[in-house]
Amino acid sequence: MSFFKDNADKINIGMHGEELVRSFLKKNKYNFMQVDIIAEKGDKIYLIEVKCQEKFKDPDSHGLPEYQIKKRIRLAEKTGMIPVLWIYDLEDKAFYMQDMRVLMEGEKSFSKTGKRILFPIESFIRLEAHHD
């Protein structure tokens, strides 16, 4: 069993509460975003956006909508956090991660729809994913 399966009812209640708060914030004109993980290691705090996906092809790449990247970088600049895009690649069964500011300074392209900024796979640090 996994944590999520073992706690499905509590998770659903929590998600309902989050939806109520998002609705309130939107109605009251708050600027907000969903943050996947905030992690601390040593004296650094990381704002992590997590994606679980296959690579975009030609060239192999991963990406996010531009507005998501810009919002996270802006929040990181205000708070001193490090904005990280962390991907679990379904094909490679590996993690790819990188500071979003580094990604934005390097080579990039756009998806066919123009909605996502794509970063070449070589722009990421590859980490082996260990499954417990």
Side-chain angles (χ1 to χ4, degrees):
M1 280 291 178
S2 74
F3 172 81
F4 293 102
K5 287 180 183 176
D6 292 345
N7 294 284
D9 290 339
K10 290 178 185 177
I11 291 168
N12 284 331
I13 290 168
M15 289 173 64
H16 176 68
E18 286 182 18
E19 185 58 38
L20 292 172
V21 170
R22 278 192 292 278
S23 178
F24 176 88
L25 294 173
K26 188 175 184 178
K27 185 193 236 179
N28 288 282
K29 311 262 191 271
Y30 281 80
N31 182 15
F32 67 94
M33 71 185 85
Q34 184 77 29
V35 175
D36 291 328
I37 298 173
I38 295 177
E40 181 180 13
K41 186 171 185 181
D43 62 347
K44 294 183 167 77
I45 300 174
Y46 300 88
L47 183 152
I48 303 173
E49 176 64 23
V50 177
K51 295 293 177 197
C52 184
Q53 62 192 26
E54 293 179 351
K55 284 189 268 321
F56 288 84
K57 301 295 184 189
D58 298 321
D60 284 353
S61 56
H62 281 296
L64 281 177
E66 186 172 14
Y67 79 92
Q68 287 186 6
I69 295 169
K70 288 183 174 180
K71 282 178 105 173
R72 282 153 182 77
I73 289 174
R74 189 172 58 246
L75 178 61
E77 288 171 350
K78 287 182 177 182
T79 62
M81 290 189 277
I82 299 168
V84 175
L85 175 55
W86 193 302
I87 295 159
Y88 177 72
D89 187 298
L90 293 167
E91 208 174 313
D92 294 350
K93 306 280 190 251
F95 294 125
Y96 290 90
M97 54 85 64
Q98 186 57 272
D99 185 321
M100 290 182 192
R101 298 166 297 187
V102 171
L103 291 171
M104 289 299 285
E105 290 172 3
E107 184 183 335
K108 53 190 161 291
S109 61
F110 286 87
S111 62
K112 290 177 185 173
T113 64
K115 293 182 179 180
R116 283 182 182 250
I117 297 179
L118 302 178
F119 306 101
I121 204 73
E122 298 81 22
S123 301
F124 293 88
I125 298 165
R126 179 186 165 121
L127 303 168
E128 293 306 313
H130 301 284
H131 302 282
D132 294 334

